[in-house]
Amino acid sequence: DTPFALSRRGNSQTVGVGETPMVDLFNRPILFSGIFLGDILIVEDALRQGRSISERYQGMTSLHAAARAGGVDILRKLLELPE
């Protein structure tokens, strides 16, 4: 488990897998961070923690962001979840 830097509303810290905070260093919701990074593990962790696929960031839903980012596997993962 490689730690990575994320932020909890401005308080930078290093967290390991399974300790995903609400936002990243760019103040993006963590679900969108995973989508834009193309990291399905971050996306799955965010969904397990209760993040909604209806959540919006800069006017986009997670489905729109995944389609725009070209994340086919992530898009499939989001589509298999009930809303």
Side-chain angles (χ1 to χ4, degrees), residues 10-82:
N11 298 325
S12 289
Q13 61 183 352
T14 300
V15 297
V17 174
E19 301 174 26
T20 309
M22 300 291 286
V23 297
D24 68 8
L25 289 174
F26 301 105
N27 209 30
R28 295 181 296 209
I30 198 62
L31 177 60
F32 287 86
S33 181
I35 290 168
F36 294 134
L37 291 171
D39 191 325
I40 198 160
L41 296 177
I42 293 174
V43 170
E44 289 173 341
D45 191 41
L47 294 171
R48 270 193 302 277
Q49 291 184 27
R51 306 311 304 168
S52 171
I53 64 168
S54 300
E55 186 173 342
R56 291 186 174 268
Y57 174 70
Q58 294 186 345
M60 293 183 285
T61 66
S62 59
L63 292 172
H64 182 204
R68 186 173 181 186
V72 176
D73 291 335
I74 291 173
L75 192 53
R76 285 186 181 125
K77 180 69 177 174
L78 295 171
L79 286 171
E80 71 185 32
L81 294 172

